[in-house]
Amino acid sequence: MKTMTKNSLLRNRFSNRSPGNDFLDSIYEKSKFHRPMPHNHFLAVFGLMLIVFSLVIYIEKQLPTGLRVQDEREYPNSFIAERAYNILKNLTAVGPRTAGSYENEVVAVNVLRQEVDSIMRDANGIHVIQLDIQKASGAFNLEFLDGMTNVYQDVQNVVVKIGSEINSPHSVLINCHFDSVVDSPGASDDGASCAIMLEILRVLSKSHKRLRHNIIFLFNGGEENFMPASHGFITQHKWAQEVRAFINLEACGAGGREVLFQAGPNHPWILETYSEEVPYPYASSLAQEIFQSGVIPGDTDYRIFRDFGNLSGLDFAWSANGYVYHTKYDSIEQVPLGSLQRTGDNILALARGMAQGHQLSNIEKYKPGNLVFFDFLGAFVIRWPMIVADIINISSVIFSLYSLYGNMKSVAETDSLTKRQYVRKLFGCMVMGFLSWLLTVIATVSIAALLNCLGRTMSWYARPLWIFFLYVIPTLVVSMAVILLHAKVYNKDIESSPWTVFQLYYDAYQTIWTVVLFLGILVRLRSSFIALIWVFFSALGNVLKSLMFSKWRDSKWILLHISMVGLPFVQCFYLMIGALYLFIPIMGRAGSGSHAEYLIAVMVSCMFGMLFSFVAPLILLVRGTERLFSLLVGLFLLSLAVLILTPLGFPYSGEAGALAPQRFMIAHTHRTFHDASGAITNQSTGYWIADMDINSPHTVDRHVPEMLNAELVTTDCDRYLYCGLPYLVPVLTMIWKTHWVPGPPPVLLKPVTMRVVNRTGIEGGERVTIEVAGPTHLGVMISPVQGVSLDDWSLKTEEPLAGPRWLGRETYFIYYAYGLEPVPLLFSMDFKIPPNHSGPIMDLAVTSHYLFGPGKASKYLKRLVDQFPPWTAVNYWTASYESWTI
């Protein structure tokens, strides 16, 4: 009885609360509601992001198991990676295969010919296989780098066509190149592609199924000479006219997954065939727009087939492990068997699908249209025509505006905000969203500036994980801090309702992405699919919250939020990680004037600032934010201390399993300058150092004492054409910061000769004919004096292509290379000269490059190169520069 009375009293105490208690409870409830998420819940979200990052990176690195020769019985008519690997081993055993060298023009051609002969002997009789060795000569303008005119003589192509007794007049072209750059075995670039093509040819030749249309395999011998061999094929070969579409195989890295980074122009059926046929897709129209923008300093034979053959096709390239690209480390050991298997399976399936398809028979019927395309985590390709993209994009914009209008009405009912107030606050939050992105860029650039001052740049080059600590964490911290401070000041009148404040910033970012999508529609941007997925899923989340889950205000709401923005978050990070894998190694060869630390800082802050669009506003719902900020800032400061105080911040690596060498390009050079009378006015000899990254060249001072004498080239750029230096190709706007080390004279086995063959008057000016002779690789630079213009020349191009201006004058760069037999470059130029002009009409310079053979390096150059530490990769040769005033 006493117990019952006690319980009754307790019940009465808590059930019959006084008005004062109601008030206290109300304050308590508001306090809970003010910050509904404990900081450890946000840490859980942060941990989930780390898991997503790890899983995407893991997925991105996955490769299929490479098939061995003994697996052939179990997998008939399949690509066998081991056989391609053995072919690649034979090809790379030749060593560097520079165009014009005996190794490239004779030995490599024989290796390919023997492989093709073996395939032809063992082929199924239903197939008709033909082999042709082509030698081509010609000229064309190339608007690449600073622009050049490429003149070539006797470049070689090994061309194979497989068809049947159907004798179709239509063919698919598959292209690789077997030459390599100086000092590189060229395993990935591009020997592996040639080995893959040979194995595909073998599989097709043994098949019991006839091909409806032909497949032409072009093994071209001059891509590294800036694509003359593919030009010679597509403009001169007897089979070129029957090519209806092409597949180009390239590399800017060793292994990994081959990315489809260019498609078209037009002919969407080609991409549809890719989407339907290949087992391991990896493609993005974003990659195409980035590459074609010129941000990446590279080009491929795709340009030649498109521009000079008027063809459509697909361009593939390996992009992983770009550290070994164009270096001595590009050996067969860097090429995984799984990469050969993956690319072989994909290209075999694609080639079969295109050759067996009906589209080649009437190519013009299927020409119109371009596709938006991207793969989802390598599982499948999503693609649609531009007209469909427009419909989807416009519908998503309307859907987004509808969801925003619904939120506007809802807030007016629940939080007493009028529509005008809501719009005003929404606009303010949008401005703050843009400002937060700007402030993250400023913060990361400030960090980059600090690292530059401390001499700790490019730590992420060998260890990309540093990017997370140096730039990703500050991007998240600044994004959250800006929003939190803005909410406390700008939205303090509704701060007691954090869900409303959060919804404002959520809607602001949704509106920003909607504006971006709308602009993408207007400018016909195919990469607008990125904005599309953010807009659609954020709007869908808004609609679901309004219609079905309006009362959710706990952990279930967080799950809904994650599920809505999770898919665009994952897909965007998947695209970003591919971009980082590509761009980080490029920073090691983009030139010291590229300011790599700042570029990476800006790139990462922009990408991750947008990635965190719908993550950063969560800070408005978190209790104990000071603990969260303390943890993240502490993590950043700790990592900064480790970078500065330990060797872990060293940017380069020579370890076999984690190569990230610093690149050097050294030309042992003899320079000679003539005046208008032909007399020599100046001469110098030494080593020209092209600075390939921001740390060059003094990182190796203690290993290479000669580098202590390196002088920055400055005044010569005003006195002499192309700074009086032997540029192999016109890259002055990119590699403008270089050094000169005085040294002994090089040995020039075949010195350059330049003679003026003839000077005759023409209407309005003068025709000058010159002849230049020397080693296999020559450069001719021309700059008419003020008032004089170069109107025409005898080279077989549409017109002279001008490059960057020098002292207010036009410049022209002719790149000339020939095969085994020396052929002088003979051509005439027509100059338009004012009637009152007197004196010289042009500056002319000739460079020569001894890239292989006995003349490549003197004992002095070899001794210099041997001093470089193992964490460097040095490309070196002998060169000359000689100029005249004519």
Side-chain angles (χ1 to χ4, degrees), residues 78-156:
S78 295
F79 183 94
I80 305 298
E82 186 181 28
R83 190 176 280 111
Y85 188 87
N86 291 336
I87 295 171
L88 180 59
K89 187 183 297 184
N90 293 335
L91 190 57
T92 54
V94 175
R97 302 174 300 283
T98 311
S101 67
Y102 180 81
E103 289 77 8
N104 191 69
E105 307 303 322
V106 177
V107 183
V109 169
N110 286 339
V111 169
L112 296 171
R113 188 201 295 265
Q114 290 168 10
E115 290 291 343
V116 173
D117 287 343
S118 174
I119 291 170
M120 292 173 68
R121 283 194 304 269
D122 298 336
N124 190 314
I126 65 172
H127 303 291
V128 178
I129 305 176
Q130 303 172 66
L131 168 66
D132 184 60
I133 308 296
Q134 179 198 22
K135 280 192 176 182
S137 303
F140 61 99
N141 288 338
L142 186 61
E143 295 181 0
F144 171 59
L145 302 173
D146 291 342
M148 71 179 84
T149 297
N150 194 328
V151 183
Y152 59 95
Q153 182 75 34
D154 296 334
V155 298
Q156 290 197 94

Side-chain angles (χ1 to χ4, degrees), residues 21 55 79 83 88 122 206 221 246 269 297 316 374 505 523 581 628 636 651 653 683 738 757 770 808 834 836:
N21 285 336
L55 288 176
F79 183 94
R83 190 176 280 111
L88 180 59
D122 298 336
K206 286 183 169 292
F246 68 89
W269 68 270
F316 297 90
F374 58 96
Y505 288 94
V523 299
Y581 278 146
L628 187 61
F636 164 72
S653 170
Q683 289 192 87
T738 66
V757 177
I770 67 170
N836 59 350

Side-chain angles (χ1 to χ4, degrees), residues 547-595:
L547 298 181
M548 301 174 63
F549 309 112
S550 58
K551 298 188 182 301
W552 281 15
R553 291 292 186 271
D554 51 20
S555 58
K556 290 185 292 184
W557 178 90
I558 297 296
L559 292 176
L560 174 65
H561 181 73
I562 291 172
S563 64
M564 285 297 99
V565 300
L567 191 144
F569 185 93
V570 170
Q571 179 64 20
C572 286
F573 181 73
Y574 174 70
L575 294 171
M576 287 162 48
I577 201 67
L580 287 173
Y581 278 146
L582 174 64
F583 273 99
I584 289 173
I586 285 176
M587 292 298 99
R589 59 179 187 269
S592 60
S594 65
H595 305 294

